[in-house]
Amino acid sequence: MLARRLRAAPITIPTLLAVAIFLAWIPLDGGQAITRWAPGGILVVALLALAVFGLPWSWRGLGAPVRIAALGLAAFTAWSFLSIAWADDQGIALEGADRTLLYLAVFLLFALWPQRPATAAWVLGLWTVGVGAIALITLIRVGTLADPTRLFDYDRLLRPVGYANAQPATWLMAFWPAVTLAATGRVPFWLRGLFAALAVVLMDTALLSLSRGALLSLPVVVLLLVALVPGRLRNIAALVPIAGAAALALPKVLDVGDAIDANPQGDVPAACAAVFHTILILAVAAGVVVAAVAAWETFRPPSERAAARIRTGWRGLVVAGAVVGVIGGLVVVGNPVHRVDHAWQSFKGGYSDNTGSSNRLTAGLGSSRYDFYRVALNVFAEHPIAGAGADNFFQDYLQHGTSTETPKYPHNFALRTLSQTGLIGTLLLFGALGAALVAAWRGMRAAGRDPLAAAVAGGATLGFFYWIAHGMSDWFWEWAGLGAPAFALLGLACALAPRADVREETAEAAASPRLARAPLLLAGGAAVLLLAAAVVLAGPWLAQRDVDAAAKVYTSRPFEAYSRLDRAARLNPLSDQPALIKGSIALRYGDLPRAQAAFQDALARNPRGQYATLELGGIASVQGDRATAQRLLDRASALAPRDENAREAARVARAGHVVNLVKLNQRLLESGEQLAG
């Protein structure tokens, strides 16, 4: 039976291999760095090439929404590469465009070929189980390590992903497919219980990271589950024991953070062991409840009359639960106007507003994101049509930000698109996503033929929606280990949408030599594009490998480091990073001519590079060129007005003294502006 299903949907094998790549990224710091995701990205492009040339497919048979989505996303990818031409930092723009290319390849691999509900369920289910297994392993480590604090950043679970907000997103993207698969009657009862148990593990492991963005995104996706996904009562019936079990573990989850804050050396292992055992017991309990109900439904299905009474009863319970929930929420929240005003004030006020709360989840919305968003909107106002260039935000924030942070990204999916790709890029991307969601909705509505299609398409779409919702307050577009699975989920939902009958098209092509040649021309063009995609992904990846290797050996083998950095500069001729690091190494060895040449090279690649400007100003001061030193140091201060090191160096030069390069670089090192600049 499995072989027959795979023959009916042969794209299943390549998509399962892509799923294996996504799972492999999770313990590799979540697949964020280009050295982590680019090799997998090249493999995804290779899988797409194998599918294009090895599997039958029809462009006309895709349906209009999928065609529009594919063309729109391809156009957005091309626009991202084109934006390199006007970006100040062309190296980071190339990396951003490469990441967009990865998302395009993933979406095409999962969306262009039709899936059967059963094979799509295998793809979604194995990814969900894989993510759940990694979450369970993480939870086991939390509960059994002698020093579990090394998995945390203060009181927030950080490992294995490496970022306390990306950590819960990794788990919660898989939570929603786990819920819909646990709810459908087309999945065996024991698997439904497994999905329910894993959902509890995913939710509570996510809560250990104390992410406010995750917490705020959950009700949005719950509403979408109720409003959009067919089988509403089934989904709610599965969600109730899962959410109840996860909620019962919440006090123990919060105890871990309190223990770390209060006594990291004493009570933390006990608190971590307690939360592990609690979550495990509650997950098993939820799984048993869901499996038992599913077994009863399978082996003793209710009559139509009994089923109607159950549906009526559930509707009453849902309405009553909603009323109780609203009333309870109002009681807990209090005056909603006051709460909204307090949230807005804390959001604008930054981190200082959090000091009055003992727990991060209830501490308001204080952070630096208000300032990030302000700068991003200003960048959009300055470049409304074309944007500032893919991933170009760092220099603008250095110059115009007011917080103590120096973010590389705006921490908002919509503002990232607006500020970096302008109105043109925004229309292309959101038009493509809108069309894809229409196709996903059609995939959900295919439940009339098979309810499993609704569960798979609905769960996959909800996983994508979660990535979008949480990404509206974080830099998840730039996190390839999250973005690639998100586009895979969206593509999988599109693959379940009804397809057009292409038999007439095939007969017409056979009768017409001109039409028969069209697939050959299309295949040739696809081969060129796929080869180019592999090349543009490989260059920055291999260059970054050399940069990382140079940073490891420069203290003992500086000339090997220089050689690696020169090769990195050739592999990625747009990036200023190899030259910045080469100049920094040369300064530490007192080689001013080499350092000066390297920083001039870096500035030629990125004219707004503040670090290269500052170092060149310091070198000019040491060389006695006061006019050049003053000009460069004043510009370094203008490029980063909050940089006390640049201001101090400019004051020294203005007073007629020589800048002490050793002390300057020591201060830069202490303030975190290390080799990478």
Side-chain angles (χ1 to χ4, degrees):
M1 183 180 293
L2 178 60
R4 186 169 65 251
R5 288 174 175 173
L6 290 177
R7 284 195 298 270
I11 193 61
T12 304
I13 298 299
T15 53
L16 284 175
L17 292 174
V19 163
I21 293 170
F22 303 154
L23 294 175
W25 282 341
I26 296 176
L28 297 176
D29 297 325
Q32 189 273 323
I34 191 169
T35 51
R36 300 298 197 187
W37 65 260
I42 294 173
L43 289 176
V44 168
V45 171
L47 290 172
L48 179 60
L50 290 173
V52 167
F53 297 111
L55 300 179
W57 65 289
S58 168
W59 176 252
R60 293 185 184 180
L62 290 175
V66 180
R67 292 200 301 267
I68 293 171
L71 289 174
L73 194 55
F76 178 72
T77 303
W79 182 253
S80 296
F81 276 102
L82 188 61
S83 75
I84 297 171
W86 57 82
D88 289 320
D89 188 342
Q90 295 185 328
I92 198 68
L94 174 59
E95 185 174 330
D98 277 348
R99 197 181 299 108
T100 305
L101 176 62
L102 168 67
Y103 298 162
L104 171 65
V106 168
F107 177 78
L108 295 179
L109 178 65
F110 279 78
L112 292 188
W113 287 266
Q115 278 281 11
R116 299 294 179 92
T119 52
W122 272 99
V123 174
L124 184 66
L126 287 174
W127 176 74
T128 303
V129 169
V131 177
I134 297 172
L136 181 59
I137 292 170
T138 301
L139 192 61
I140 291 171
R141 296 187 68 206
V142 168
T144 58
L145 284 178
D147 180 20
T149 58
R150 59 194 176 103
L151 302 177
F152 288 77
D153 178 26
Y154 295 100
D155 57 351
R156 306 182 67 190
L157 182 63
L158 196 66
R159 297 297 170 192
V161 174
Y163 175 44
N165 288 327
Q167 179 95 359
T170 301
W171 314 134
L172 292 177
M173 282 175 61
F175 172 82
W176 300 103
V179 170
T180 59
L181 291 173
T184 179
R186 286 295 311 277
V187 172
F189 73 92
W190 60 273
L191 263 181
R192 291 172 65 181
L194 175 63
F195 283 123
L198 287 177
V200 175
V201 171
L202 290 164
M203 175 62 74
D204 282 327
T205 307
L207 289 173
L208 281 168
S209 293
L210 302 178
S211 171
R212 291 172 296 187
L215 194 64
L216 292 173
S217 302
L218 288 176
V220 175
V221 188
V222 169
L223 289 175
L224 292 171
L225 170 69
V226 174
L228 297 180
V229 181
R232 184 176 297 112
L233 293 179
R234 280 183 166 275
N235 292 328
I236 294 173
L239 184 60
V240 167
I242 292 170
L248 288 174
L250 184 57
K252 295 293 184 182
V253 170
L254 299 179
D255 285 346
V256 173
D258 293 340
I260 292 175
D261 288 337
N263 185 9
Q265 303 302 322
D267 297 334
V268 174
C272 288
V275 77
F276 163 58
H277 291 117
T278 300
I279 293 173
L280 190 62
I281 291 169
L282 289 170
V284 171
V288 167
V289 168
V290 171
V293 173
W296 172 73
E297 180 185 15
T298 300
F299 297 112
R300 298 194 63 179
S303 64
E304 285 296 325
R305 185 174 180 182
R309 287 200 301 268
I310 292 172
R311 286 193 294 268
T312 302
W314 262 111
R315 289 192 183 97
L317 287 174
V318 169
V319 172
V323 172
V324 171
V326 170
I327 295 173
L330 290 174
V331 171
V332 172
V333 170
N335 187 330
V337 176
H338 172 73
R339 284 289 186 176
V340 170
D341 181 68
H342 176 266
W344 174 248
Q345 294 304 323
S346 68
F347 177 61
K348 289 181 63 178
Y351 287 104
S352 60
D353 283 355
N354 293 349
T355 56
S357 175
S358 61
N359 184 271
R360 175 181 171 82
L361 296 180
T362 58
L365 301 179
S367 72
S368 299
R369 280 170 173 72
Y370 176 83
D371 199 49
F372 301 171
Y373 300 167
R374 177 187 62 81
V375 173
L377 285 171
N378 288 340
V379 172
F380 168 65
E382 293 173 4
H383 310 278
I385 304 301
D391 280 7
N392 271 239
F393 180 73
F394 177 67
Q395 275 93 7
D396 285 296
Y397 195 81
L398 276 184
Q399 188 166 5
H400 302 295
T402 59
S403 76
T404 58
E405 299 183 62
T406 54
K408 290 185 178 181
Y409 312 111
H411 287 59
N412 183 288
F413 166 65
L415 292 179
R416 181 260 178 204
T417 308
L418 275 171
S419 63
Q420 295 170 19
T421 63
L423 287 173
I424 293 176
T426 301
L427 290 174
L428 289 173
L429 178 58
F430 282 88
L433 295 183
L437 290 172
V438 169
W441 182 82
R442 290 185 176 181
M444 284 185 257
R445 297 298 140 178
R449 302 193 310 273
D450 191 336
L452 187 59
V456 175
T461 305
L462 290 176
F464 177 79
F465 265 126
Y466 172 83
W467 177 74
I468 290 285
H470 197 166
M472 288 299 180
S473 62
D474 227 306
W475 52 292
F476 288 170
W477 177 274
E478 296 83 3
W479 199 284
L482 294 174
F487 276 93
L489 293 174
L490 182 61
L492 186 64
C494 291
L496 288 167
R499 304 278 168 137
D501 189 346
V502 297
R503 285 175 295 182
E504 294 182 3
E505 174 191 347
T506 304
E508 184 182 0
S512 170
R514 181 179 61 83
L515 290 177
R517 288 194 299 270
L520 296 177
L521 296 175
L522 183 62
V528 172
L529 290 175
L530 290 168
L531 180 61
V535 170
V536 298
L537 285 171
W541 163 46
L542 295 174
Q544 189 62 48
R545 288 188 65 201
D546 275 329
V547 168
D548 293 345
K552 291 178 181 177
V553 304
Y554 80 93
T555 55
S556 57
R557 302 192 297 276
F559 288 101
E560 179 184 338
Y562 294 148
S563 176
R564 285 184 174 275
L565 291 168
D566 288 340
R567 184 169 63 184
R570 293 191 297 271
L571 287 168
N572 187 358
L574 299 180
S575 175
D576 63 345
Q577 189 186 30
L580 289 175
I581 297 180
K582 183 178 180 180
S584 298
I585 294 172
L587 279 181
R588 297 190 185 191
Y589 282 97
D591 189 348
L592 291 189
R594 190 189 299 270
Q596 185 177 34
F599 287 126
Q600 286 172 343
D601 181 25
L603 208 57
R605 297 172 187 237
N606 179 8
R608 291 179 68 190
Q610 191 261 355
Y611 178 62
T613 304
L614 175 59
E615 293 288 20
L616 284 172
I619 293 171
S621 176
V622 171
Q623 293 174 337
D625 189 349
R626 292 185 178 180
T628 300
Q630 191 64 67
R631 175 178 58 82
L632 289 171
L633 293 173
D634 285 343
R635 175 162 173 74
S637 295
L639 287 171
R642 293 166 291 145
D643 185 353
E644 179 58 34
N645 297 311
R647 292 200 304 269
E648 176 62 24
R651 283 195 296 266
V652 169
R654 198 174 298 115
H657 302 301
V658 176
V659 173
N660 188 322
L661 268 179
V662 175
K663 289 186 177 179
L664 172 62
N665 283 284
Q666 182 61 36
R667 288 197 299 269
L668 291 175
L669 184 63
E670 292 172 353
S671 63
E673 300 176 41
Q674 302 182 34
L675 285 179

